[in-house]
Amino acid sequence: MVGVAAGLAKAGFRPVVYGLAAFVPMRVLEQIKIDVCYEELPVVFVGDGAGVVYAQLGTSHQCTEDVAALRAVPNIGIVSPADRFELQYCWKHLLQSKGAGYLRFGKADGGDVHAAIPDAPVGDLLQARPGKGDWAIIATGSMVVAACRLSAALGGAPVWSAPVLHPINRAQVESIGRAFGGIFVVEEHSMAGGLGGLVAEIVAETGGCRVIRFGTRQFSEFCGDYKYLLSQHGLDDSTLLAGMTSAMAREAP
Amino acid sequence: MPESRLRSRANAFDAARLRASVLRMAFAGSTVHVGCALSIIEIVAVLYRSHLNLGDRTPRAAGRDYLVLSKGHGVMAQYACLHELGWLTDADLDRYFSNGTRMKGLSDAHVPGLEVTSGSLGHGLPVATGLALGAQRLRSGQRVFCVVGDGEMNEGAMWEALLFAGQFRLDNLVVIVDENRFQAMGPTQEVISLGSLHAKFAAFDYDVLSVDGHDEKALDAALDDLMARRNGRPKAIVAATVKGRGVSFMENNNVWHYTRLTKETFDAALAEVEGR
């Protein structure tokens, strides 16, 4: 499928390859790398159902490693919208790009973060909830809505959404890392190699604050619905809040 | 015939009872993929009843024959058989698809009795081929029966595995195609036409037989015939089946790939399979 898309792109078309994220990009990673990215072809990949939203269907249909896999591949953009407005913003960016891109989204349908399509340069983090304090939250995809819910209980911590993971506005991440005492990063993706890793790398390289990541760690051992699996991964509101408040207490001067 | 075989057990793996188990599971769990489980009922029934050497009849018996469900979406049919074996309880079936159980919606190797994780199509046959190669190298006498979907034959990995099995003369491998002529998104003919699978297997130098996949006697005869031929050629059965078999309103109606049972459709379906 990806090879055919690469051929179509060489022939002058602008192909979109759609699949569940568990299969696109995971199953076809080598084809994405060689056939598309190495040749810098303008193929758009859509990975639906990213994260653990295909809950009861089991490990084969869940996908918490796609961002990590594609972050290591050159020449492909990665976007991860949080709501329908960010989806349109991301889609416009993908179609305007001259290179390959990957759209990751779930089906959590957690509600809107924004009131309109964001008007921001590609790669910017978008303020999802203004706030104050010593800690900030950066989240992506389904976890932005959750982060906004938690903000008040954390003393009004500001929340940024990262709809574009690559290329991300590094200077903006760096400045958040300097402005706050700590950053919580939340994503429905493995703690290894996702947004948390990306933020930690940038902040560590530029001498910023503490970065504490929240994401998935293991395969889901048991069957369960979406809400159940989020709690198994510690991504439900109460576990996230407990983890954040204990980190804030631990790090307090 | 070894004692471990189950052919003598009266009424074991009765197709109507297996279908009823599938319906109960699907209704209790409010799950989909009913049609693709109903099409393989007779296939898995005859395998468990008459052909699989289950060793000491525990799920992980050393030296057992392998039943690899490559089309993992049909897993409820296999669960129904594991229930007949006593490897799953009534409570397990009632809790299929539920929070905190191991019984996920698609075939998962962590469930005792299931050999592969195969909700992603195109994985089971390659693994089955490796199991067959391992058995050949170990001279263990184990056979590998791999149930694949016709729609699954769209996957390139399936054809690589078929070539590999031929190259390594795996005559202990039997590929059984559940040819129900549908896949998730429509008729296989319209998605990517497979033409004659029988001719394709023959061209790959397989010993291949085509049978009615709901005729248990024909399936038994085909399996006996093929397993008697230890000639270095892998085996294949193209089993013509009906998606949703046994429930009139599900038969050849592909909405039952994704439709959940209501109380009304459950009662009606159960009445049909139980002959009431």
Side-chain angles (χ1 to χ4, degrees):
Chain A
M1 185 161 71
V2 176
V4 172
L8 281 168
K10 281 169 176 285
F13 289 89
R14 191 69 206 278
V16 176
V17 180
Y18 168 92
L20 301 193
F23 314 134
V24 177
M26 291 313 299
R27 189 186 185 91
V28 291
L29 191 59
E30 189 199 2
Q31 279 82 4
I32 292 175
K33 170 188 165 189
I34 300 297
D35 302 345
V36 174
C37 295
Y38 185 55
E39 299 207 38
E40 301 183 52
L41 294 173
V43 180
V44 174
F45 298 94
V46 177
D48 191 2
V52 296
V53 71
Y54 276 106
Q56 293 102 327
L57 291 186
T59 309
S60 69
H61 280 54
Q62 296 162 15
C63 180
T64 54
E65 55 288 296
D66 50 332
V67 174
L70 286 182
R71 274 191 64 211
V73 178
N75 301 339
I76 184 164
I78 305 171
V79 300
S80 167
D83 68 1
R84 57 190 165 136
F85 299 114
E86 285 194 9
L87 174 63
Q88 293 172 80
Y89 163 82
C90 288
W91 189 247
K92 185 174 154 199
H93 157 57
L94 288 174
L95 293 185
Q96 285 176 347
S97 163
K98 296 199 184 318
Y102 169 56
L103 166 66
R104 138 184 254 261
F105 69 116
K107 285 177 176 155
D109 200 16
D112 289 336
V113 173
H114 306 281
I117 300 173
D119 180 19
V122 168
D124 277 14
L125 287 76
L126 308 176
Q127 183 115 57
R129 176 144 309 196
K132 56 179 174 42
D134 204 33
W135 288 80
I137 306 177
I138 301 176
T140 191
S142 60
M143 287 294 118
V144 178
V145 170
C148 291
R149 280 196 305 266
L150 296 176
S151 164
L154 295 165
V159 177
W160 275 274
S161 173
V164 178
L165 304 184
H166 184 77
I168 199 167
N169 183 337
R170 296 179 68 92
Q172 191 185 3
V173 176
E174 181 184 342
S175 78
I176 295 170
R178 291 188 186 283
F180 291 88
I183 301 172
F184 298 120
V185 186
V186 196
E187 59 193 316
E188 194 180 323
H189 180 278
S190 167
M191 285 175 64
L195 176 65
L198 174 60
V199 170
E201 288 162 24
I202 296 169
V203 172
E205 285 171 354
T206 54
C209 64
R210 286 289 305 274
V211 175
I212 296 179
R213 297 165 299 147
F214 296 88
T216 64
R217 296 162 189 258
Q218 302 288 341
F219 292 122
S220 305
E221 185 180 358
F222 298 110
C223 184
D225 57 26
Y226 181 54
K227 199 174 162 192
Y228 175 87
L229 287 191
L230 285 181
S231 71
Q232 289 284 299
H233 286 294
L235 292 175
D236 58 300
D237 285 5
S238 60
T239 311
L240 283 171
L241 186 59
M244 291 175 181
T245 50
S246 88
M248 290 164 84
R250 196 168 63 237
E251 302 290 327
Chain B
M1 183 172 294
E3 271 189 10
S4 58
R5 294 198 183 183
L6 300 166
R7 185 171 288 190
S8 59
R9 198 173 132 195
N11 201 29
F13 304 100
D14 174 69
R17 197 170 59 238
L18 294 173
R19 286 198 164 84
S21 289
V22 167
L23 292 171
R24 288 198 175 92
M25 240 179 293
F27 182 58
S30 186
T31 68
V32 296
H33 305 140
V34 183
C36 40
L38 293 178
S39 68
I40 60 168
I41 290 289
E42 284 80 9
I43 294 170
V44 291
V46 301
L47 285 170
Y48 277 109
R49 184 193 302 131
S50 309
H51 300 278
L52 286 171
N53 179 353
L54 296 175
D56 64 8
R57 299 192 61 184
T58 56
R60 299 280 192 250
R64 68 189 181 281
D65 288 342
Y66 297 102
L67 170 48
V68 174
L69 184 65
S70 196
K71 51 161 284 181
H73 297 64
V75 72
M76 284 189 287
Q78 195 169 4
Y79 282 147
C81 292
L82 301 186
H83 178 248
E84 298 266 317
L85 287 165
W87 297 353
L88 292 176
T89 64
D90 290 349
D92 288 328
L93 296 198
D94 289 343
R95 297 207 61 216
Y96 169 60
F97 223 68
S98 299
N99 292 353
T101 72
R102 289 188 189 280
M103 293 177 61
K104 298 175 183 177
L106 306 170
S107 176
D108 189 300
H110 294 89
V111 176
L114 302 185
E115 305 288 2
V116 297
T117 300
S118 60
S120 179
L121 297 171
H123 289 236
L125 180 59
V127 177
T129 304
L131 286 168
L133 178 65
Q136 181 203 62
R137 290 293 163 93
L138 294 169
R139 300 178 195 282
S140 67
Q142 291 163 288
R143 292 96 46 88
V144 184
F145 300 88
C146 184
V147 179
V148 309
D150 55 348
E152 188 179 15
M153 297 307 289
N154 287 171
E155 300 283 352
M158 303 297 276
W159 299 96
E160 293 175 42
L162 293 181
L163 287 168
F164 184 98
Q167 178 71 20
F168 286 86
R169 301 176 58 79
L170 301 180
D171 59 7
N172 58 342
L173 174 68
V174 186
V175 182
I176 304 171
V177 185
D178 169 39
E179 191 181 43
N180 65 29
R181 299 190 180 275
F182 283 97
Q183 56 202 91
M185 296 300 164
T188 52
Q189 180 75 18
E190 292 175 17
V191 179
I192 292 184
S193 173
L194 294 157
S196 167
L197 283 170
H198 188 110
K200 287 180 171 62
F201 277 110
F204 277 44
D205 285 332
Y206 277 55
D207 285 335
V208 55
L209 297 172
S210 290
V211 301
D212 175 350
H214 298 300
D215 181 338
E216 296 193 1
K217 286 198 173 81
L219 285 165
D220 274 329
L223 285 160
D224 285 339
D225 180 350
L226 291 173
M227 295 323 297
R229 303 189 215 173
R230 299 307 291 264
N231 53 5
R233 288 153 64 102
K235 317 300 178 195
I237 294 174
V238 180
T241 60
V242 174
K243 195 163 181 175
R245 170 77 171 200
V247 179
S248 57
F249 57 87
M250 293 185 185
E251 289 191 356
N252 290 317
N253 183 353
N254 210 38
V255 303
W256 287 97
H257 190 90
Y258 287 125
T259 303
R260 291 176 159 80
L261 288 159
T262 61
K263 182 75 173 74
E264 291 70 31
T265 53
F266 170 67
D267 287 342
L270 195 62
E272 279 199 38
V273 304
E274 291 182 338
R276 286 185 274 128

